[in-house]
Amino acid sequence: MELDKALKHFNPKSMMITDSPRATSSDSLTGTDMMGALGMTEAEEPFGMGAFLSKHGISQDDKTLTVRRLAAYAMQQAPKHVGKAAGNRLAQCMVILAKMAYKEYCHSAASTTACPHCEGKG
């Protein structure tokens, strides 16, 4: 199963109320199968699945949870020198780094943003 193809089940283009597939093949997946597979995946790897779903705009709650999990991971992995330099602001520094890492993860080659300082003119 490819995760990119699973995204279409969150924003369907047509209303198909029934859970029976259009194809007559017995090996085709239904929406229920897809949601079950996504649920099992999220139960095994909540961080990765939450990051993927929030990246594609499915869930705002997953965005905040992803940033929190990134900050907690950064707190665990931070070298002692970083803790000494940051002092009692280490948690704030890790939250800022987590937000920056999440923002970088969400960017793609197709995304465009203007510089906040020069508004894309410099």
Side-chain angles (χ1 to χ4, degrees):
M1 175 178 81
E2 294 180 21
L3 288 176
D4 291 335
K5 292 181 181 176
L7 291 175
K8 68 180 179 179
H9 291 279
F10 289 98
N11 298 316
K13 292 182 180 178
S14 66
M15 255 329 241
M16 191 164 104
I17 305 300
T18 179
D19 62 346
S20 62
R22 290 184 190 167
T24 57
S25 167
S26 63
D27 62 343
S28 63
L29 293 174
T30 65
T32 308
D33 296 334
M34 292 297 289
M35 293 303 121
L38 287 174
M40 287 187 285
T41 305
E42 192 162 10
E44 289 292 319
E45 282 298 325
F47 176 70
M49 197 65 195
F52 178 77
L53 292 177
S54 65
K55 176 182 179 177
H56 293 285
I58 303 297
S59 172
Q60 283 298 108
D61 292 337
D62 282 333
K63 178 181 177 180
T64 57
L65 281 174
T66 301
V67 171
R68 284 184 190 168
R69 288 176 179 149
L70 279 172
Y73 180 76
M75 290 285 288
Q76 291 174 354
Q77 300 297 321
K80 291 181 183 179
H81 301 300
V82 174
K84 288 180 183 177
N88 40 342
R89 291 185 173 224
L90 180 65
Q92 292 173 342
C93 291
M94 293 303 142
V95 169
I96 291 170
L97 286 174
K99 286 180 181 178
M100 290 172 63
Y102 176 76
K103 195 171 185 179
E104 181 68 26
Y105 169 71
C106 289
H107 281 278
S108 70
S111 62
T112 59
T113 57
C115 174
H117 300 290
C118 67
E119 283 102 28
K121 297 176 185 169

